[in-house]
């Protein structure tokens, strides 16, 4: 189809309307060097020479640093099979396909994604994904408020501070109240759940990497008629108890840890899983398996009628789009690794992080902060400003020491290790840290 | 299209059947056919006070969701709980087993403002 912005006639009509005789006339007030700039391009080159030149330029890039950054985004290995499958044209789309045009293959892949997420979370239903962990959390809490008909939320300070900001924005818009439960010693102390609370929210492992003991919290929340929402790193669910097993009603989190590139903070995907009883309140898209008139298996977008493009102002959420491709990458990653592979990857991260913790604590002035047990990430108290430490480490070729916001304490920095790290990487970081802190 | 003569109708395709001092409410055969397979019905709480024309329930099909408007002002005294498990009753028997809720009207006289079967038939022909 031709794309014709405007015809000669239309241009003439517009010029007449504004009283300009011609386009040159219309732009007369602009300096000549802007209207007709001289572009100095080199002489044309053969294709092989252009490629050679591009390779030379690319060689000027700094080699990728090993990243020890924590705080919700960590460096992981993406198996080549995931990249190969995800780059197939059948999956690539610039937008979210709706029912009339979405293919059975995409629907089936999404259904498999949902099934894997539900299994990881130990819950019955998962949607087709959200934008990221923070939006998944906000939607999960709104789900709990719709279900309970209440407008009060308790959120642990152990929930990622940026996620809490997103949550606050969403809740302000609907007029709900948000109360923060401060951490004590790096964990969420068990407290009361006041009357009228619709949702209690915690993160496990929490923002500082520490494992929370949530079963008693879940019991208190349920005793007060509130639902329990858990933010959980899906990779951690390869080794930790699934949220459904300790009674959580809604599990959410960011899918980046399932082999997605860090990508300067995105695109990632958020997952959202819950109990079947709440399926009517689930935001976003949901793919179901069914049979057609001839009894053949097929897949279908279901429960669409609550969505914004059909129900408008009365929709359950304003999200009908989801992070289709990145969510499918997460599913491909899970399928490639299998449950045992996921466990291995998670355990290797745990082992490397604990080794790193030991090594860094040998540096004079460095103190532990995150209590054990922790997962693949921990906070340390540094003898210097963490922002300066991070800069100095970057100058030495290390991405490490994510500064922790002051609300958690002074001079705290997060460190993470994953399956990508080797003993020599940890030793190299320790050496650099020693120099920087000396 | 089936339009029983024993009840009243709204232009928005609800029917209202007087029974004693209450009125049974559902959607017409035409409405269920237009919606397609009904997959969910959101029912109001018993005891809720409603104004005539207020959205009182939601009928969801695979493709769309429609508000059900109260044909008369009054109080919801009963809902058809069977629809929670078997919403398809609305497709199968819109004037019988597929009833949605029962309202006790403030004034039974309000029913006179509604359409009779012939009047509703005309509405359908105009929408045609």
């Amino acid at each position: 189809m031709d794309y014709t912005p405007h015809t000669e006639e239309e241009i003439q009509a517009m010029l007449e309307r504004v009283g300009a005789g011609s386009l040159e006339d219309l732009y007369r007030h602009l300096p000549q060097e802007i209207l007709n700039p001289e572009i100095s391009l080199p002489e044309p080159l053969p294709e092989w020479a252009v490629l050679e030149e591009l390779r030379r330029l690319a060689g000027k890039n700094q080699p990728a640093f090993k990243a020890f950054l924590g705080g919700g985004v960590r460096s992981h290995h993406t198996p080549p099979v995931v990249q190969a499958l995800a780059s197939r044209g059948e999956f690539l789309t610039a937008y979210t396909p709706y029912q009339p045009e979405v293919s059975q293959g995409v629907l089936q892949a999404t259904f498999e994604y949902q099934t894997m997420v539900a299994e990881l979370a130990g819950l019955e239903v998962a949607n087709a994904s959200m934008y990221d962990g923070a939006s998944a959390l906000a939607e999960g809490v709104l789900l709990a408020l719709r279900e309970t008909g209440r407008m009060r939320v308790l959120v642990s300070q152990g929930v990622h501070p940026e996620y809490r900001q997103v949550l606050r924005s969403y809740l302000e818009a609907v007029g709900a109240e948000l109360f923060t439960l401060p951490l004590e010693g790096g964990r969420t102390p068990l407290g009361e759940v006041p009357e009228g609370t619709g949702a209690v929210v915690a993160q496990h492992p929490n923002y500082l990497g520490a494992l929370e003991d949530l079963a008693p919290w879940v019991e208190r929340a349920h005793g007060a008629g509130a639902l329990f929402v858990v933010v959980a790193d899906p990779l951690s669910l390869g080794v930790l108890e699934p949220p459904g097993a300790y009674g959580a009603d809604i599990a959410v989190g960011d899918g980046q840890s399932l082999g997605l590139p860090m990508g300067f903070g995105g695109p990632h995907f958020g997952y959202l899983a819950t109990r079947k009883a709440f399926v009517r309140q689930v935001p976003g898209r949901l793919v179901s398996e069914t049979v057609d008139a001839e009894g053949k298996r097929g897949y279908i977008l279901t429960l669409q009628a609550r969505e914004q493009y059909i129900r408008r102002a009365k929709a359950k959420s304003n999200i009908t789009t989801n992070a289709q491709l990145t969510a499918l990458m997460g599913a491909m990653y899970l399928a490639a690794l299998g449950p045992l592979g996921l466990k291995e990857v998670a355990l290797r991260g745990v082992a490397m992080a604990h080794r790193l913790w030991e090594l860094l604590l040998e540096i004079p002035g460095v103190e532990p902060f995150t209590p054990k047990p922790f997962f693949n990430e921990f906070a340390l108290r540094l003898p210097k400003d963490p922002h300066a430490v991070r800069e100095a480490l970057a100058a030495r070729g290390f991405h490490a020491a994510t500064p922790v916001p002051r609300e958690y304490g002074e001079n705290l920095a997060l460190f993470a290790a994953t399956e990508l790290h080797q003993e020599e990487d940890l030793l190299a970081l320790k050496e650099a840290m020693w120099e920087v802190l000396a | 299209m089936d339009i029983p003569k024993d009840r009243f109708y709204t232009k928005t395709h609800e029917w209202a059947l007087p029974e004693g001092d209450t009125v049974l409410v559902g959607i017409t055969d035409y409405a269920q056919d237009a919606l397609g397979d009904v997959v969910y019905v959101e029912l109001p709480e018993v005891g809720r006070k409603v104004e005539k024309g207020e959205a009182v329930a939601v009928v969801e099909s695979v493709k769309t969701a429609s508000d059900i408007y109260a044909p008369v002002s009054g109080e919801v005294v009963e809902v058809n709980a069977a629809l929670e498990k078997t919403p398809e009753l609305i497709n199968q028997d819109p004037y019988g087993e597929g009833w949605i809720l029962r309202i006790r009207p403030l004034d039974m006289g309000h029913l006179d403002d509604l359409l009779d079967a012939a009047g509703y038939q005309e509405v359908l022909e105009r929408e045609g």
Side-chain angles (χ1 to χ4, degrees):
Chain A
M1 191 176 81
D2 284 340
Y3 172 64
T4 313
H6 19 244
T7 63
E8 199 52 47
E9 275 170 30
E10 287 165 337
I11 293 172
Q12 284 309 324
M14 286 188 275
L15 287 172
E16 253 169 58
R17 183 70 180 265
V18 298
S22 64
L23 281 177
E24 290 70 38
D25 195 18
L26 181 67
Y27 296 128
R28 186 159 311 226
H29 60 289
L30 295 175
Q32 199 54 32
E33 59 270 29
I34 291 177
L35 278 178
N36 294 303
E38 232 176 79
I39 302 169
S40 62
L41 286 174
E43 289 299 301
L45 290 172
E47 191 174 272
W48 59 265
V50 173
L51 288 173
E52 195 97 312
E53 174 64 5
L54 290 177
R55 266 193 288 272
R56 191 188 64 78
L57 289 171
K60 287 182 162 183
N61 284 326
Q62 280 186 326
F65 295 166
K66 285 258 178 173
F68 298 85
L69 296 173
V73 182
R74 286 172 283 272
S75 70
H76 287 288
H77 173 62
T78 309
V81 63
V82 172
Q83 282 157 341
L85 283 175
S87 59
R88 287 188 64 101
E90 297 92 323
F91 290 122
L92 285 176
T93 166
Y95 85 129
T96 306
Y98 290 90
Q99 188 72 58
E101 70 273 19
V102 63
S103 74
Q104 280 294 304
V106 167
L107 288 172
Q108 183 180 348
T110 309
F111 182 78
E112 286 174 14
Y113 158 82
Q114 290 174 182
T115 306
M116 288 186 229
V117 168
E119 276 179 14
L120 269 183
L123 290 160
E124 294 157 300
V125 183
N127 76 1
S129 80
M130 315 291 302
Y131 289 128
D132 57 17
S135 65
L137 166 64
E139 291 287 354
V141 170
L142 290 182
L143 189 165
L145 296 184
R146 283 196 296 272
E147 189 61 41
T148 57
R150 297 173 176 186
M151 290 298 260
R152 182 174 292 166
V153 179
L154 296 189
V155 61
S156 159
Q157 196 190 15
V159 174
H160 195 300
E162 289 165 5
Y163 287 26
R164 281 187 281 131
Q165 282 175 17
V166 171
L167 180 62
R168 181 164 290 121
S169 300
Y170 272 65
L171 293 185
E172 264 172 18
V174 297
E177 291 177 293
L178 183 65
F179 296 96
T180 306
L181 305 161
L183 293 183
E184 270 173 33
R187 287 209 188 83
T188 318
L190 190 60
E192 297 304 317
V193 178
E195 216 175 290
T197 303
V200 181
V201 189
Q203 184 173 325
H204 172 59
N206 70 24
Y207 172 64
L208 301 174
L211 304 189
E212 299 269 10
D213 181 16
L214 295 182
W217 258 116
V218 171
E219 206 172 298
R220 289 239 174 139
H222 287 169
L227 298 185
F228 204 90
V229 184
V230 171
V231 182
D233 174 356
L235 176 61
S236 77
L237 299 178
V239 282
L240 298 176
E241 210 181 4
Y246 52 84
D249 303 286
I250 299 160
V252 295
D254 197 287
Q256 186 268 330
S257 61
L258 300 181
L260 290 184
M262 292 189 283
F264 301 99
H268 299 165
F269 70 90
Y271 77 86
L272 186 150
T274 188
R275 303 191 181 284
K276 196 177 169 189
F278 309 146
V279 71
R280 298 263 152 208
Q281 303 293 350
V282 169
R285 299 145 62 82
L286 199 67
V287 177
S288 296
E289 190 179 273
T290 184
V291 287
D292 68 9
E294 291 166 8
K296 289 186 198 145
R297 186 171 65 167
Y299 298 88
I300 181 172
L301 275 181
T302 192
L303 297 177
Q304 301 181 83
R306 17 173 221 141
E307 274 322 310
Q308 171 250 75
Y309 67 103
I310 291 175
R311 290 218 73 189
R312 311 285 164 192
K314 289 177 181 169
K316 297 299 182 203
S317 82
N318 65 353
I319 291 188
T320 42
T321 310
N322 66 301
Q324 184 96 44
L325 186 63
T326 41
L328 291 188
M329 287 176 75
M332 290 162 186
Y333 178 84
L334 287 170
L337 265 64
L340 280 180
L342 188 72
K343 185 177 173 181
E344 251 175 64
V345 169
L347 285 178
R348 203 175 139 72
V350 170
M352 285 295 118
H354 284 72
R355 176 73 180 132
L356 182 63
W357 184 82
E358 271 171 28
L359 287 172
L360 295 182
L361 283 175
E362 288 169 11
I363 302 170
V366 174
E367 292 168 20
F369 188 77
T370 299
K372 279 190 168 180
F374 55 80
F375 183 55
N376 60 2
E377 183 167 1
F378 53 86
L380 296 177
R381 178 165 271 133
L382 305 182
K384 279 186 179 171
D385 173 35
H387 293 88
V389 173
R390 183 185 57 182
E391 293 299 309
L393 286 173
R396 285 168 170 76
F398 296 89
H399 284 315
T402 310
V404 171
R406 284 249 169 90
E407 62 168 298
Y408 295 92
E410 294 292 315
N411 286 350
L412 301 179
L414 282 172
F415 294 83
T418 69
E419 76 282 0
L420 281 181
H421 296 105
Q422 318 267 1
E423 174 80 9
E424 67 230 45
D425 302 320
L426 309 184
L427 290 169
L429 176 64
K430 179 192 170 183
E431 204 177 300
M433 278 272 285
W434 197 303
E435 279 173 32
V436 165
L437 294 175
Chain B
M1 207 57 73
D2 190 15
I3 307 176
K5 297 207 162 55
D6 62 349
R7 58 196 77 195
F8 298 92
Y9 297 89
T10 64
K11 285 179 189 161
T12 48
H13 312 291
E14 290 88 8
W15 54 257
L17 176 67
E19 281 185 353
D21 65 341
T22 65
V23 172
L24 209 56
V25 178
I27 64 170
T28 65
D29 190 25
Y30 171 84
Q32 71 78 19
D33 187 60
L35 280 172
D37 290 348
V38 172
V39 292
Y40 182 65
V41 184
E42 202 177 298
L43 296 165
E45 274 180 44
V46 170
R48 185 172 143 193
K49 304 272 196 298
V50 291
E51 293 277 328
K52 179 180 176 178
E54 186 182 326
V56 65
V58 182
V59 174
E60 224 178 271
S61 70
V62 176
K63 288 184 214 138
T64 189
S66 297
D67 285 330
I68 304 305
Y69 303 105
V72 289
S73 300
E75 181 184 339
V76 177
V77 289
E78 196 185 348
V79 295
N80 186 359
L83 295 177
E84 284 172 7
K85 287 261 163 63
T86 43
E88 59 271 26
L89 286 175
I90 289 186
N91 294 116
Q92 291 159 3
D93 190 6
Y95 295 114
E97 293 293 303
W99 66 279
I100 296 173
L101 52 106
R102 187 188 293 278
I103 295 178
R104 181 178 294 123
L106 293 173
D107 182 350
M108 288 300 271
H110 287 171
L111 287 169
D112 297 337
D113 301 340
L114 300 174
L115 303 164
D116 59 12
Y120 181 60
Q121 176 77 46
E122 270 177 45
V123 168
L124 291 190
E125 277 161 16
R126 252 181 282 136
E127 281 194 9

